[in-house]
Amino acid sequence: MPTTGSGLLLLVVLLLPGLTFVALRERRSSERRPTAFRESGAVVFWSVTTEFVTLALFAVVRSLLPELTPDVGRLVREGGAYVREHYVSLGWWGAGLLAFSCGLAAAAAMRAAAGRHPSGMSAWWMLFDGWYPGENPMVGCLLEDGSYLEGRQASFNVSADDSPDRDLVLVQPLKYRPPGGTEARPLPWSAACVSARRIVTVFVSYPLAERAVGAGEEGAAGAAGAGSGPAAG
């Protein structure tokens, strides 16, 4: 571990792209939590990879536009003297190269999240985000006491482990049917939190899928109407 402030700052800068990759991958997907060793390995690997690509691209830009880029040779030979003379441009270039490396790591994380196999995801992730990303579907929950709760999905625990110790948050329009009841009635509340431990079955209705089905039915009806008219000519 670094023992000085500058050493700690350098460590954070070197590992920031890898941390970006891991954080965004966890945010964008539901996956089995790796061991600390694998997590650390991913941080180091993606930091080294993205920074190597960034430096390679910088070398190309340097060869094409030497007058607009920092002189790496002078930086190595003169060290602190060159830094003091050109600290503004070096600061901007350093920040830009670091941001570019983090951008590469973010793009890699989003691609990795999009390519995850369903076997590594939780059932909740597949229902609420995997099939129709960005949707907030209508969700019906049959509870263990025979009651039924329905509402629009607002948030859910993205853990890949299908554990009963997590919650599902539903918002308006909310409907509830008590045990033994025959009809679900609207609730005046704005939101409800349901424990996975109490849920027996989950029913999901996707607005995007419903719109696609409706558009298909309208198209089929229009085609049938056009075909049933009198023949031209």
Side-chain angles (χ1 to χ4, degrees), residues 15 22 111 114 137 153 155 157 170 178 205 221:
L15 296 182
V22 171
R111 183 175 179 84
Q153 176 257 317
S155 68
N157 189 306
L170 304 178
S205 176

Side-chain angles (χ1 to χ4, degrees), residues 13 16-18 20 46-47 49-55 95-107:
V13 168
L16 187 58
T20 301
W46 285 106
S47 292
T49 300
T50 55
E51 287 168 353
F52 176 81
V53 172
T54 300
L55 291 177
L97 293 175
L98 179 60
F100 185 79
S101 297
C102 292
L104 288 178

Side-chain angles (χ1 to χ4, degrees), residues 34-163:
T35 62
F37 177 78
R38 291 186 60 186
E39 191 91 350
S40 301
V43 171
V44 173
F45 173 80
W46 285 106
S47 292
V48 172
T49 300
T50 55
E51 287 168 353
F52 176 81
V53 172
T54 300
L55 291 177
L57 293 175
F58 172 77
V60 174
V61 175
R62 170 68 184 163
S63 65
L64 297 175
L65 302 170
E67 68 280 359
L68 298 179
T69 53
D71 190 335
V72 180
R74 284 189 61 190
L75 178 62
V76 173
R77 291 191 302 271
E78 301 177 14
Y82 182 81
V83 172
R84 287 189 294 271
E85 183 179 353
H86 302 280
Y87 66 92
V88 175
S89 62
L90 288 175
W92 280 110
W93 272 98
L97 293 175
L98 179 60
F100 185 79
S101 297
C102 292
L104 288 178
M110 296 182 68
R111 183 175 179 84
R116 290 286 175 182
H117 193 274
S119 63
M121 308 295 180
S122 70
W124 278 23
W125 179 269
M126 294 305 300
L127 284 173
F128 302 140
D129 195 82
W131 288 330
Y132 293 91
E135 287 284 300
N136 293 108
M138 291 297 298
V139 179
C141 300
L142 181 62
L143 306 182
E144 63 180 3
D145 63 354
S147 60
Y148 173 82
L149 180 65
E150 178 183 302
R152 188 170 299 279
Q153 176 257 317
S155 68
F156 66 98
N157 189 306
V158 299
S159 172
D161 298 322
D162 287 308
S163 167

Side-chain angles (χ1 to χ4, degrees), residues 13 33-34 61 72 91 101 117 165 185 202 208 213 217 226:
V13 168
R33 291 290 181 256
V61 175
V72 180
S101 297
H117 193 274
D165 298 318
R185 298 184 179 276
V202 174
L208 181 62
V213 171
E217 291 176 350

